[in-house]
Amino acid sequence: MSTQPQMTTGSCLCCDNLLRFPSTVRCFRCTVCETVNDLVAVPSPTNTRAEILSLARVAALVQSTDAEAYERIVPESFMLHRTLNASFSTLQKDESPTLENSGIDHFQVTAAYAVITKSSQKVIGSMMISIDKLLRRPGRLLQKPEDIRFLVILLENPVLLSQQTSVEAKFHHDILARIFGLMSSLSNELHQYIVNWFAALPIEAFQKRVDLVNHFITYRVSQKDGMWDQYFTDWGVKSAARVMALLFAANGQRKEGLLISNFYNTIIDYVDLIKDYTKWQEERSGAFAFCQYPFLVSLGGKMQIMETDAKRQMTERFKEAFFRTAIQGLITDPFLTLHIRRNHLIADSLNQLQSRQIDLKKKLRIEFVGEPGVDAGGLTKEWFLLLVRHLFDTQYGMFSCDEDTHLCWITPASVENVEEFRLVGIVIGLAIYNSTILDVQFPTACYKKLLGLSVDLEDLLPLNPALHRGLTKLLEYEEDDVEAVFCRDFVAEYEAFGETVRVPLVPGGDAIPVTKANRHEFVDRYVAWLLVESVEAQFAAFREGFYHVCGGNALSLFRPEEIEMIVQGGNELDVMILESVTEYDGYQTDDVTMKDFWSIFASYSPKMKRKTLMFITGTDRIPATGIQNMAFKISKLGEDSELLPIAHTCFNQICIPRYASREKMEAKLDAAVNWSSGFHFK
C-alpha cells in the first residue's frame, strides 16, 4: 500500500503565493504564475555559448562578420542567471555588491541595450524570449545581494516599452510582471539593497523606473479582462505596487527627489476608490488594495475618499439630529451652526466650538448676528477668511512671520494661548472637512508634525532660510577656529514683547561654547528646540483640535505636502484654463462682453488677478487638484446699466450686465473688486 508523500509549504519566489508541495522535491512549479521554483541551484548547461557581457564585448559582436556568433551569444547570455548576473560589472574578482554599490555599470548597460536594439530584429526577439525563459525559471533561490543584480539590469531594457503589436505588448508586459514579481518577493534585507541602489541612480534613470512601473499598472488594469473589478486578486498589480513602494522609499533617501505627483497613477482614479478604501479598512490583515500604497493614488482620488467619508459622517450626524427631534422631541440642530458677532469673532468662535464638541462633524453653517443672509457656502468662506486673518495676525502674538518667506510659525512666548491653538487646529480641520481653502502660510514641517513625522534641519530651510544658511555654514566650516569665528554658545534666542529671551539648550548652555567637536550636537538641539520643544504645549493643543475633526484612517493616506496643498490650495492662476472651464448663463463664449471680461482679467497684474478671484470665489487660491477642476460661472445681469458686477462666492459666480463698452466694464469691475470686503462695501 503506497503512502502519501509528506507535504510542506513555501512561497513562490515570483508571485509570493503560499503553495504546498512534497518535501522531497528539488523544485516545484507555481500554480498561479507558473514560475519554476528551484530549491537547489541548477547547474549551468555545458552546451551554451553564453558569456559574461560588457559594452565592449557587445559592440565587438555587433561589428563582427560572424553574424551567427552574435545571434547566439547575446540571447543565450540573457538566458542564464550566471552570465547575466555577472555582466556589466565594476566589481573586482571575489568582490560582492554592497548597500552602497550594486557593482553594475549603468552607463555600460544603457549603451549595450542601445547597440543591441539598433541591430537585427531577430536578435532582439531572441533576447526577449531568453529573458522570458530566465524569469520563468531563474534556476536558484534569490537569497543574497549577488543573486539579484540581473533584475536591475533587466529593468534597463528599453524594449519592454517599445511594442509594435498587441501580441508584443502582452508578451513584454508579462515579462515586466515577472521582473516585478521576483523583485517584490525578495526578503526585507534584499529590499534594502534594492532601495539603496535605486536611490543612487541619476535622476533621469530613476524617473524612468517610476514611469515604467506606472506604465505597467496602467496597462495591466486597463487591458487585462476583468481587472477593473478584480485587480485586488492580480499578483502582477500587487507586485508592481510593491516595487513602486521600493522606489518611493528610495526617493525619500535621495538628495534630488521626485515630487509625490510623479508617483500618481491616474488610471487608479477610475477604479472604485471608495470600495478600495472600504476593503483596505476591513481587511488590514493583508488583502491588496491601492490604499495600501497611497503614493499611487492622486490627490484628487484621496480627496474623493476623504470627502465621501466626511459626507458619510455628516449624514450620520444629520440623521441622529433628525431622530432626536422626531422621536424624543429634542430640538437638535442638524448643522454645526455658529452665531458670530463680527466684533467678537475669536471669542464667539472659540466658545461655540468648545460647547459643541460632538457636533464638529456636522455640516458647518455661519450666521453673522444682526445681518441677513442664508449660508450656502459664502458666509462660511468669509468666516474662515476673517478668523484666519485675526488668529495669524502677528499683533495677536500667537504666530510670527518670516519677512522673506512669509511663512508663519508658533511663537514660543504664546504659551498662555493654548486654547486658541486648539481653535486653530479645529479651524484647519473644519476647512478640510468642509472643502474650504484657507489663507494660511504654514511650512511643510507643520504638516509633518501633524502626521507624526520627525523634522530636521532641512525642514528649517523654507521656514527661516537665513537661520538655515547660518547653521549650514557652521556645519560646513573646515577650519579649527569655530569658537572664535561663530561666537556661539549652547543657547537659543527668540523675541518676546520687544525683548530677546535666551534659552539654554542644555543645562549651563550659556557657558558652553560651540566648537568644531560639538557643533553637530548644537545644530541638532537648536533645530529640535525651535521646531519641537519650544512649541510643544501649543502644538499639542493644535494637533488635538485638528484630529478632533479630521482624525481617521482617511487622513493616513496623505503625505504632509498633500495636506498642505488641500489646506492652502495652489497659487498658480492660469486665466486661459479658467476661461476653458467656465460655465455661462445668459452669455455665449463668443459674446463681445465675455471677450472683454477675459481680456481685462488676463491684463491684470498678478495681485489684481488674485483680488478678482477673491471677489468672485471668496479666496485667492485655487483648488488643490488644479484650476481645471474649479467650478466657475458667469451670469448675465441684464442689459447695459450702471450696476456693478455682483459676486456669489457660495457658487463661485459673477453676474455682469452687458456693458456698452470694454472701458465701462473695466471701470465697473475695478470698482467692484477694489471696494468690496466680504459681503460689504468698504
Side-chain angles (χ1 to χ4, degrees), residues 373-421:
V374 176
D375 187 9
L379 293 175
T380 295
K381 287 182 181 179
E382 187 181 13
W383 175 75
F384 276 120
L385 174 68
L386 296 175
L387 188 61
V388 164
R389 282 181 180 172
H390 280 74
L391 289 171
F392 284 83
D393 190 327
T394 54
Q395 294 183 356
Y396 197 64
M398 293 176 63
F399 298 94
S400 59
C401 184
D402 186 88
E403 293 180 358
D404 296 325
T405 66
H406 304 296
L407 294 178
C408 296
W409 191 245
I410 299 170
T411 303
S414 58
V415 288
E416 70 275 8
N417 297 340
V418 168
E419 280 306 310
E420 280 87 348
F421 283 104

Tab-separated table of all heavy atoms in Angstrom, residues 373-421:
chain	number	residue	atom	x	y	z
A	373	GLY	N	-29.091	86.974	5.494
A	373	GLY	CA	-28.311	86.106	4.604
A	373	GLY	C	-28.358	84.663	5.051
A	373	GLY	O	-28.267	84.362	6.245
A	374	VAL	N	-28.556	83.783	4.072
A	374	VAL	CA	-28.546	82.342	4.319
A	374	VAL	C	-27.221	81.780	3.829
A	374	VAL	O	-26.795	82.088	2.707
A	374	VAL	CB	-29.725	81.650	3.604
A	374	VAL	CG1	-29.652	80.142	3.799
A	374	VAL	CG2	-31.044	82.201	4.115
A	375	ASP	N	-26.578	80.984	4.641
A	375	ASP	CA	-25.255	80.472	4.292
A	375	ASP	C	-25.369	79.296	3.321
A	375	ASP	O	-25.732	78.190	3.706
A	375	ASP	CB	-24.516	80.036	5.560
A	375	ASP	CG	-23.069	79.655	5.271
A	375	ASP	OD1	-22.618	79.888	4.131
A	375	ASP	OD2	-22.398	79.133	6.178
A	376	ALA	N	-25.050	79.572	2.067
A	376	ALA	CA	-24.962	78.496	1.068
A	376	ALA	C	-23.506	78.199	0.742
A	376	ALA	O	-23.201	77.586	-0.267
A	376	ALA	CB	-25.718	78.896	-0.191
A	377	GLY	N	-22.626	78.659	1.609
A	377	GLY	CA	-21.197	78.442	1.417
A	377	GLY	C	-20.392	79.721	1.493
A	377	GLY	O	-19.244	79.731	1.931
A	378	GLY	N	-20.985	80.844	1.080
A	378	GLY	CA	-20.268	82.110	1.060
A	378	GLY	C	-19.961	82.644	2.441
A	378	GLY	O	-18.864	83.145	2.707
A	379	LEU	N	-20.939	82.568	3.367
A	379	LEU	CA	-20.705	83.044	4.731
A	379	LEU	C	-19.662	82.187	5.437
A	379	LEU	O	-18.859	82.701	6.228
A	379	LEU	CB	-22.020	83.047	5.512
A	379	LEU	CG	-23.076	84.057	5.042
A	379	LEU	CD1	-24.376	83.870	5.806
A	379	LEU	CD2	-22.567	85.478	5.209
A	380	THR	N	-19.670	80.902	5.145
A	380	THR	CA	-18.655	80.019	5.719
A	380	THR	C	-17.267	80.424	5.238
A	380	THR	O	-16.322	80.505	6.029
A	380	THR	CB	-18.939	78.553	5.331
A	380	THR	OG1	-20.166	78.137	5.931
A	380	THR	CG2	-17.820	77.638	5.795
A	381	LYS	N	-17.146	80.701	3.944
A	381	LYS	CA	-15.855	81.140	3.408
A	381	LYS	C	-15.400	82.422	4.089
A	381	LYS	O	-14.229	82.575	4.439
A	381	LYS	CB	-15.957	81.369	1.897
A	381	LYS	CG	-16.056	80.109	1.056
A	381	LYS	CD	-16.109	80.476	-0.425
A	381	LYS	CE	-16.229	79.258	-1.318
A	381	LYS	NZ	-16.303	79.614	-2.759
A	382	GLU	N	-16.346	83.365	4.274
A	382	GLU	CA	-15.971	84.644	4.884
A	382	GLU	C	-15.554	84.454	6.335
A	382	GLU	O	-14.603	85.075	6.803
A	382	GLU	CB	-17.132	85.635	4.787
A	382	GLU	CG	-16.708	87.023	5.271
A	382	GLU	CD	-17.830	88.040	5.231
A	382	GLU	OE1	-18.990	87.642	5.066
A	382	GLU	OE2	-17.533	89.235	5.387
A	383	TRP	N	-16.248	83.600	7.056
A	383	TRP	CA	-15.881	83.333	8.462
A	383	TRP	C	-14.476	82.763	8.546
A	383	TRP	O	-13.663	83.219	9.366
A	383	TRP	CB	-16.888	82.364	9.078
A	383	TRP	CG	-16.535	81.939	10.479
A	383	TRP	CD1	-16.653	82.678	11.615
A	383	TRP	CD2	-16.008	80.663	10.879
A	383	TRP	NE1	-16.234	81.950	12.708
A	383	TRP	CE2	-15.830	80.706	12.279
A	383	TRP	CE3	-15.674	79.500	10.194
A	383	TRP	CZ2	-15.343	79.631	13.006
A	383	TRP	CZ3	-15.188	78.424	10.913
A	383	TRP	CH2	-15.018	78.488	12.292
A	384	PHE	N	-14.186	81.792	7.705
A	384	PHE	CA	-12.829	81.233	7.682
A	384	PHE	C	-11.808	82.327	7.374
A	384	PHE	O	-10.773	82.422	8.028
A	384	PHE	CB	-12.725	80.129	6.632
A	384	PHE	CG	-13.177	78.773	7.100
A	384	PHE	CD1	-14.216	78.109	6.470
A	384	PHE	CD2	-12.547	78.145	8.160
A	384	PHE	CE1	-14.624	76.851	6.889
A	384	PHE	CE2	-12.949	76.882	8.591
A	384	PHE	CZ	-13.990	76.240	7.957
A	385	LEU	N	-12.110	83.153	6.383
A	385	LEU	CA	-11.181	84.199	5.965
A	385	LEU	C	-10.894	85.174	7.102
A	385	LEU	O	-9.731	85.463	7.425
A	385	LEU	CB	-11.761	84.943	4.760
A	385	LEU	CG	-10.986	86.168	4.268
A	385	LEU	CD1	-9.650	85.745	3.672
A	385	LEU	CD2	-11.810	86.942	3.242
A	386	LEU	N	-11.956	85.676	7.742
A	386	LEU	CA	-11.783	86.665	8.809
A	386	LEU	C	-11.112	86.057	10.033
A	386	LEU	O	-10.239	86.678	10.657
A	386	LEU	CB	-13.146	87.253	9.191
A	386	LEU	CG	-13.866	88.049	8.095
A	386	LEU	CD1	-15.251	88.464	8.569
A	386	LEU	CD2	-13.047	89.265	7.699
A	387	LEU	N	-11.500	84.840	10.386
A	387	LEU	CA	-10.939	84.207	11.574
A	387	LEU	C	-9.452	83.939	11.402
A	387	LEU	O	-8.642	84.194	12.302
A	387	LEU	CB	-11.687	82.896	11.857
A	387	LEU	CG	-11.344	82.193	13.180
A	387	LEU	CD1	-11.671	83.094	14.362
A	387	LEU	CD2	-12.100	80.870	13.289
A	388	VAL	N	-9.081	83.441	10.230
A	388	VAL	CA	-7.667	83.164	9.970
A	388	VAL	C	-6.858	84.455	9.999
A	388	VAL	O	-5.748	84.502	10.551
A	388	VAL	CB	-7.505	82.436	8.616
A	388	VAL	CG1	-6.060	82.480	8.143
A	388	VAL	CG2	-7.968	80.991	8.743
A	389	ARG	N	-7.395	85.532	9.427
A	389	ARG	CA	-6.682	86.814	9.452
A	389	ARG	C	-6.424	87.268	10.880
A	389	ARG	O	-5.346	87.777	11.200
A	389	ARG	CB	-7.495	87.875	8.705
A	389	ARG	CG	-7.390	87.788	7.195
A	389	ARG	CD	-8.200	88.898	6.550
A	389	ARG	NE	-8.126	88.837	5.092
A	389	ARG	CZ	-8.862	89.604	4.289
A	389	ARG	NH1	-9.719	90.483	4.810
A	389	ARG	NH2	-8.747	89.496	2.974
A	390	HIS	N	-7.416	87.114	11.757
A	390	HIS	CA	-7.248	87.535	13.145
A	390	HIS	C	-6.258	86.650	13.888
A	390	HIS	O	-5.365	87.141	14.584
A	390	HIS	CB	-8.606	87.526	13.854
A	390	HIS	CG	-9.455	88.722	13.575
A	390	HIS	ND1	-10.103	88.907	12.380
A	390	HIS	CD2	-9.756	89.814	14.336
A	390	HIS	CE1	-10.785	90.042	12.406
A	390	HIS	NE2	-10.584	90.620	13.583
A	391	LEU	N	-6.412	85.344	13.754
A	391	LEU	CA	-5.576	84.410	14.508
A	391	LEU	C	-4.114	84.495	14.088
A	391	LEU	O	-3.216	84.307	14.917
A	391	LEU	CB	-6.090	82.979	14.333
A	391	LEU	CG	-7.422	82.651	15.023
A	391	LEU	CD1	-7.912	81.271	14.591
A	391	LEU	CD2	-7.280	82.707	16.535
A	392	PHE	N	-3.867	84.759	12.801
A	392	PHE	CA	-2.489	84.765	12.307
A	392	PHE	C	-1.885	86.168	12.254
A	392	PHE	O	-0.748	86.320	11.817
A	392	PHE	CB	-2.427	84.107	10.925
A	392	PHE	CG	-2.529	82.617	10.976
A	392	PHE	CD1	-3.762	81.994	11.057
A	392	PHE	CD2	-1.391	81.831	10.975
A	392	PHE	CE1	-3.867	80.614	11.118
A	392	PHE	CE2	-1.481	80.450	11.041
A	392	PHE	CZ	-2.722	79.836	11.114
A	393	ASP	N	-2.632	87.149	12.701
A	393	ASP	CA	-2.073	88.495	12.797
A	393	ASP	C	-0.956	88.481	13.839
A	393	ASP	O	-1.159	88.081	14.986
A	393	ASP	CB	-3.175	89.480	13.208
A	393	ASP	CG	-2.728	90.930	13.090
A	393	ASP	OD1	-1.528	91.205	13.310
A	393	ASP	OD2	-3.578	91.783	12.791
A	394	THR	N	0.238	88.932	13.444
A	394	THR	CA	1.386	88.883	14.367
A	394	THR	C	1.146	89.713	15.620
A	394	THR	O	1.735	89.444	16.671
A	394	THR	CB	2.656	89.380	13.655
A	394	THR	OG1	2.409	90.674	13.092
A	394	THR	CG2	3.053	88.422	12.538
A	395	GLN	N	0.270	90.725	15.545
A	395	GLN	CA	-0.021	91.530	16.725
A	395	GLN	C	-0.797	90.745	17.773
A	395	GLN	O	-0.794	91.107	18.950
A	395	GLN	CB	-0.819	92.776	16.316
A	395	GLN	CG	-0.035	93.741	15.437
A	395	GLN	CD	-0.818	94.991	15.103
A	395	GLN	OE1	-1.994	95.119	15.464
A	395	GLN	NE2	-0.176	95.925	14.415
A	396	TYR	N	-1.447	89.669	17.341
A	396	TYR	CA	-2.189	88.831	18.280
A	396	TYR	C	-1.245	87.974	19.122
A	396	TYR	O	-1.622	87.478	20.181
A	396	TYR	CB	-3.180	87.949	17.506
A	396	TYR	CG	-4.265	87.355	18.363
A	396	TYR	CD1	-5.200	88.167	18.996
A	396	TYR	CD2	-4.362	85.982	18.547
A	396	TYR	CE1	-6.196	87.623	19.786
A	396	TYR	CE2	-5.350	85.422	19.327
A	396	TYR	CZ	-6.270	86.245	19.953
A	396	TYR	OH	-7.252	85.702	20.744
A	397	GLY	N	-0.018	87.766	18.626
A	397	GLY	CA	1.020	87.138	19.429
A	397	GLY	C	1.105	85.633	19.369
A	397	GLY	O	1.973	85.037	20.023
A	398	MET	N	0.245	84.986	18.580
A	398	MET	CA	0.286	83.525	18.522
A	398	MET	C	1.323	83.022	17.525
A	398	MET	O	1.956	81.994	17.739
A	398	MET	CB	-1.092	82.974	18.147
A	398	MET	CG	-2.156	83.190	19.205
A	398	MET	SD	-3.785	82.640	18.660
A	398	MET	CE	-3.512	80.883	18.429
A	399	PHE	N	1.482	83.772	16.433
A	399	PHE	CA	2.379	83.336	15.362
A	399	PHE	C	3.333	84.469	14.985
A	399	PHE	O	2.997	85.648	15.084
A	399	PHE	CB	1.579	82.911	14.121
A	399	PHE	CG	0.671	81.747	14.355
A	399	PHE	CD1	-0.662	81.944	14.690
A	399	PHE	CD2	1.142	80.442	14.249
A	399	PHE	CE1	-1.507	80.870	14.912
A	399	PHE	CE2	0.302	79.361	14.476
A	399	PHE	CZ	-1.021	79.575	14.812
A	400	SER	N	4.511	84.072	14.548
A	400	SER	CA	5.456	85.019	13.959
A	400	SER	C	5.575	84.687	12.474
A	400	SER	O	5.349	83.553	12.067
A	400	SER	CB	6.824	84.929	14.642
A	400	SER	OG	7.358	83.620	14.527
A	401	CYS	N	5.949	85.686	11.698
A	401	CYS	CA	6.001	85.511	10.240
A	401	CYS	C	7.368	85.926	9.727
A	401	CYS	O	7.865	87.001	10.072
A	401	CYS	CB	4.905	86.344	9.586
A	401	CYS	SG	4.782	86.137	7.802
A	402	ASP	N	8.003	85.068	8.930
A	402	ASP	CA	9.304	85.377	8.361
A	402	ASP	C	9.141	86.421	7.251
A	402	ASP	O	8.271	86.286	6.388
A	402	ASP	CB	9.956	84.111	7.793
A	402	ASP	CG	11.369	84.359	7.313
A	402	ASP	OD1	12.301	84.247	8.122
A	402	ASP	OD2	11.535	84.675	6.124
A	403	GLU	N	9.982	87.450	7.284
A	403	GLU	CA	9.847	88.549	6.334
A	403	GLU	C	10.140	88.125	4.897
A	403	GLU	O	9.612	88.708	3.952
A	403	GLU	CB	10.785	89.691	6.732
A	403	GLU	CG	10.400	90.363	8.052
A	403	GLU	CD	11.350	91.486	8.408
A	403	GLU	OE1	12.322	91.698	7.651
A	403	GLU	OE2	11.124	92.146	9.444
A	404	ASP	N	11.005	87.125	4.736
A	404	ASP	CA	11.387	86.702	3.385
A	404	ASP	C	10.405	85.697	2.789
A	404	ASP	O	10.000	85.815	1.635
A	404	ASP	CB	12.795	86.104	3.395
A	404	ASP	CG	13.845	87.128	3.792
A	404	ASP	OD1	13.682	88.306	3.427
A	404	ASP	OD2	14.815	86.753	4.471
A	405	THR	N	10.035	84.695	3.575
A	405	THR	CA	9.198	83.615	3.048
A	405	THR	C	7.719	83.822	3.316
A	405	THR	O	6.882	83.163	2.702
A	405	THR	CB	9.617	82.271	3.671
A	405	THR	OG1	9.323	82.294	5.093
A	405	THR	CG2	11.103	82.020	3.484
A	406	HIS	N	7.390	84.721	4.272
A	406	HIS	CA	6.005	84.980	4.686
A	406	HIS	C	5.352	83.752	5.316
A	406	HIS	O	4.118	83.698	5.431
A	406	HIS	CB	5.160	85.473	3.505
A	406	HIS	CG	5.715	86.691	2.845
A	406	HIS	ND1	5.825	87.910	3.476
A	406	HIS	CD2	6.238	86.870	1.596
A	406	HIS	CE1	6.370	88.790	2.664
A	406	HIS	NE2	6.649	88.196	1.518
A	407	LEU	N	6.157	82.773	5.707
A	407	LEU	CA	5.623	81.600	6.387
A	407	LEU	C	5.484	81.883	7.879
A	407	LEU	O	6.276	82.626	8.466
A	407	LEU	CB	6.524	80.384	6.173
A	407	LEU	CG	6.623	79.860	4.744
A	407	LEU	CD1	7.580	78.678	4.674
A	407	LEU	CD2	5.252	79.437	4.226
A	408	CYS	N	4.466	81.282	8.482
A	408	CYS	CA	4.172	81.507	9.900
A	408	CYS	C	4.629	80.327	10.752
A	408	CYS	O	4.594	79.175	10.304
A	408	CYS	CB	2.679	81.718	10.101
A	408	CYS	SG	2.038	83.190	9.288
A	409	TRP	N	5.040	80.642	11.961
A	409	TRP	CA	5.374	79.595	12.931
A	409	TRP	C	4.918	80.044	14.308
A	409	TRP	O	4.759	81.238	14.584
A	409	TRP	CB	6.873	79.284	12.925
A	409	TRP	CG	7.222	78.057	13.708
A	409	TRP	CD1	7.969	77.974	14.841
A	409	TRP	CD2	6.808	76.716	13.407
A	409	TRP	NE1	8.055	76.673	15.274
A	409	TRP	CE2	7.349	75.873	14.403
A	409	TRP	CE3	6.032	76.150	12.403
A	409	TRP	CZ2	7.136	74.499	14.429
A	409	TRP	CZ3	5.817	74.774	12.418
A	409	TRP	CH2	6.369	73.968	13.413
A	410	ILE	N	4.700	79.079	15.166
A	410	ILE	CA	4.210	79.355	16.517
A	410	ILE	C	5.255	80.144	17.303
A	410	ILE	O	6.438	79.826	17.277
A	410	ILE	CB	3.889	78.030	17.235
A	410	ILE	CG1	2.793	77.277	16.465
A	410	ILE	CG2	3.455	78.284	18.673
A	410	ILE	CD1	2.575	75.860	16.947
A	411	THR	N	4.793	81.167	18.007
A	411	THR	CA	5.684	81.969	18.839
A	411	THR	C	5.926	81.250	20.170
A	411	THR	O	4.959	80.901	20.861
A	411	THR	CB	5.056	83.350	19.113
A	411	THR	OG1	4.769	83.985	17.870
A	411	THR	CG2	5.992	84.220	19.918
A	412	PRO	N	7.177	81.015	20.544
A	412	PRO	CA	7.446	80.318	21.821
A	412	PRO	C	6.830	81.004	23.032
A	412	PRO	O	6.499	80.346	24.020
A	412	PRO	CB	8.978	80.331	21.891
A	412	PRO	CG	9.429	80.418	20.479
A	412	PRO	CD	8.408	81.278	19.790
A	413	ALA	N	6.647	82.340	22.949
A	413	ALA	CA	6.128	83.083	24.104
A	413	ALA	C	4.618	82.982	24.250
A	413	ALA	O	4.041	83.565	25.167
A	413	ALA	CB	6.527	84.554	23.978
A	414	SER	N	3.953	82.238	23.371
A	414	SER	CA	2.490	82.238	23.338
A	414	SER	C	1.867	81.121	24.158
A	414	SER	O	0.786	80.646	23.842
A	414	SER	CB	2.014	82.118	21.886
A	414	SER	OG	2.527	80.927	21.296
A	415	VAL	N	2.529	80.687	25.227
A	415	VAL	CA	2.043	79.523	25.986
A	415	VAL	C	0.707	79.774	26.667
A	415	VAL	O	-0.025	78.834	26.985
A	415	VAL	CB	3.092	79.086	27.033
A	415	VAL	CG1	4.282	78.443	26.363
A	415	VAL	CG2	3.524	80.280	27.887
A	416	GLU	N	0.359	81.032	26.919
A	416	GLU	CA	-0.901	81.302	27.617
A	416	GLU	C	-2.100	81.187	26.680
A	416	GLU	O	-3.246	81.231	27.125
A	416	GLU	CB	-0.872	82.694	28.262
A	416	GLU	CG	-0.904	83.855	27.277
A	416	GLU	CD	0.488	84.209	26.744
A	416	GLU	OE1	1.438	83.456	27.030
A	416	GLU	OE2	0.611	85.223	26.048
A	417	ASN	N	-1.869	81.046	25.366
A	417	ASN	CA	-2.962	80.980	24.396
A	417	ASN	C	-3.238	79.558	23.916
A	417	ASN	O	-3.615	79.352	22.770
A	417	ASN	CB	-2.638	81.851	23.172
A	417	ASN	CG	-2.520	83.321	23.524
A	417	ASN	OD1	-3.010	83.753	24.555
A	417	ASN	ND2	-1.861	84.081	22.665
A	418	VAL	N	-3.066	78.570	24.790
A	418	VAL	CA	-3.168	77.174	24.365
A	418	VAL	C	-4.538	76.870	23.763
A	418	VAL	O	-4.642	76.184	22.742
A	418	VAL	CB	-2.856	76.224	25.540
A	418	VAL	CG1	-3.236	74.789	25.187
A	418	VAL	CG2	-1.374	76.288	25.883
A	419	GLU	N	-5.623	77.380	24.356
A	419	GLU	CA	-6.960	77.094	23.832
A	419	GLU	C	-7.160	77.694	22.447
A	419	GLU	O	-7.855	77.133	21.616
A	419	GLU	CB	-8.034	77.599	24.804
A	419	GLU	CG	-8.286	76.667	25.969
A	419	GLU	CD	-8.616	75.244	25.529
A	419	GLU	OE1	-9.489	75.070	24.659
A	419	GLU	OE2	-7.991	74.305	26.048
A	420	GLU	N	-6.532	78.848	22.211
A	420	GLU	CA	-6.614	79.431	20.874
A	420	GLU	C	-5.917	78.559	19.841
A	420	GLU	O	-6.357	78.462	18.694
A	420	GLU	CB	-5.998	80.837	20.875
A	420	GLU	CG	-6.913	81.920	21.413
A	420	GLU	CD	-6.808	82.057	22.930
A	420	GLU	OE1	-6.208	81.164	23.567
A	420	GLU	OE2	-7.318	83.045	23.474
A	421	PHE	N	-4.835	77.879	20.247
A	421	PHE	CA	-4.160	76.958	19.321
A	421	PHE	C	-5.039	75.745	19.027
A	421	PHE	O	-5.027	75.213	17.920
A	421	PHE	CB	-2.806	76.531	19.885
A	421	PHE	CG	-1.742	77.575	19.735
A	421	PHE	CD1	-1.346	78.339	20.815
A	421	PHE	CD2	-1.170	77.830	18.500
A	421	PHE	CE1	-0.389	79.331	20.675
A	421	PHE	CE2	-0.203	78.814	18.343
A	421	PHE	CZ	0.188	79.568	19.441
